[in-house]
Amino acid sequence: LFSELGCHHRRDQPDAQCISPFKRSLLQVRHPLKTVASLVAKAGNNCTNAAHQLTMITSIFPDVPWESTRTCAQKFALFWLVYNREMKKHVDDWYRVEETTPCEVAALGGFTNSKEVLYEPHLETVETICSHRTAGEGPGHGEEHGYVNRKNKKGKIKITWEALEGGYAPADRLREQVQDLARDFGYRVSK
């Protein structure tokens, strides 16, 4: 993973041995409370169903004080924070999944720009699909974009900002740090 971070920036790493063939790298973000609720819905309130995921998360970011989190929600909130904070440094752009259409993502990724698209026939394909979507046609049109949730159906698990308080060093800063990054991503965050 870490050998690929920023790998698409050939100008910064001309000798990098990159696997990624893309010219642009994007970060898809989702509201932190929704993300945490989905993960807790799958993992269980005590994270009993998430041993494998937590092992992977903690191995990706070994210097993070995971033991300072008291709850499953805090563990996943801390992951949201460190992952998005780190990834944001290495991408060309980011977008909020809740309000960014597939065609807007294609534009951010360079698929609508003849100077950036890697495979010229894709340019026409993307333009055709996006013109149909704009006209109210095509697959997925009319679905509530960014709000389809397969793990936390009907919002059975709700996570509040208060659930992120306490147990994180420095004391009580997890909520504040997650809220600050959420604001940086353009989310409205209540105090």
Side-chain angles (χ1 to χ4, degrees):
L1 172 71
F2 288 106
S3 66
E4 288 289 309
L5 283 177
C7 204
H8 67 287
H9 292 289
R10 305 261 191 254
R11 64 189 175 277
D12 299 335
Q13 299 179 9
D15 299 327
Q17 298 297 312
C18 299
I19 297 169
S20 172
F22 302 107
K23 288 186 178 181
R24 293 184 52 79
S25 182
L26 303 177
L27 173 62
Q28 174 180 290
V29 296
R30 184 173 179 223
H31 193 284
L33 296 181
K34 296 288 187 184
T35 303
V36 171
S38 291
L39 293 168
V40 170
K42 181 176 172 116
N45 282 324
N46 296 321
C47 280
T48 53
N49 300 327
H52 177 72
Q53 290 88 343
L54 291 174
T55 299
M56 215 158 132
I57 287 169
T58 57
S59 66
I60 293 171
F61 299 106
D63 297 330
V64 172
W66 298 104
E67 67 285 350
S68 66
T69 57
R70 294 180 299 120
T71 66
C72 190
Q74 288 179 352
K75 285 184 191 331
F76 287 127
L78 183 54
F79 174 65
W80 184 93
L81 176 69
V82 295
Y83 177 84
N84 285 298
R85 189 184 278 163
E86 186 63 32
M87 293 302 119
K88 191 176 178 191
K89 298 176 200 173
H90 301 283
V91 297
D92 296 301
D93 213 338
W94 53 265
Y95 64 93
R96 290 180 300 277
V97 69
E98 298 92 343
E99 57 194 51
T100 310
T101 69
C103 294
E104 291 167 333
V105 174
L108 287 171
F111 290 97
T112 59
N113 182 333
S114 61
K115 291 184 177 120
E116 291 187 5
V117 71
L118 289 173
Y119 182 60
E120 195 69 33
H122 286 166
L123 187 63
E124 185 177 330
T125 302
V126 170
E127 286 175 355
T128 300
I129 291 169
C130 288
S131 67
H132 287 303
R133 287 189 67 85
T134 302
E137 305 166 356
H141 187 76
E143 290 181 8
E144 200 173 346
H145 179 73
Y147 290 95
V148 178
N149 190 328
R150 309 234 187 282
K151 294 294 173 206
N152 192 18
K153 292 180 182 159
K154 298 181 180 159
K156 64 182 176 182
I157 302 287
K158 293 208 184 298
I159 301 295
T160 63
W161 292 115
E162 290 75 23
L164 308 186
E165 292 177 352
Y168 176 73
D172 294 327
R173 298 262 349 269
L174 179 60
R175 172 184 176 164
E176 177 186 328
Q177 290 180 48
V178 170
Q179 286 179 324
D180 286 347
L181 186 55
R183 280 188 202 95
D184 287 350
F185 286 132
Y187 289 107
R188 285 189 199 150
V189 176
S190 60
K191 288 280 179 187

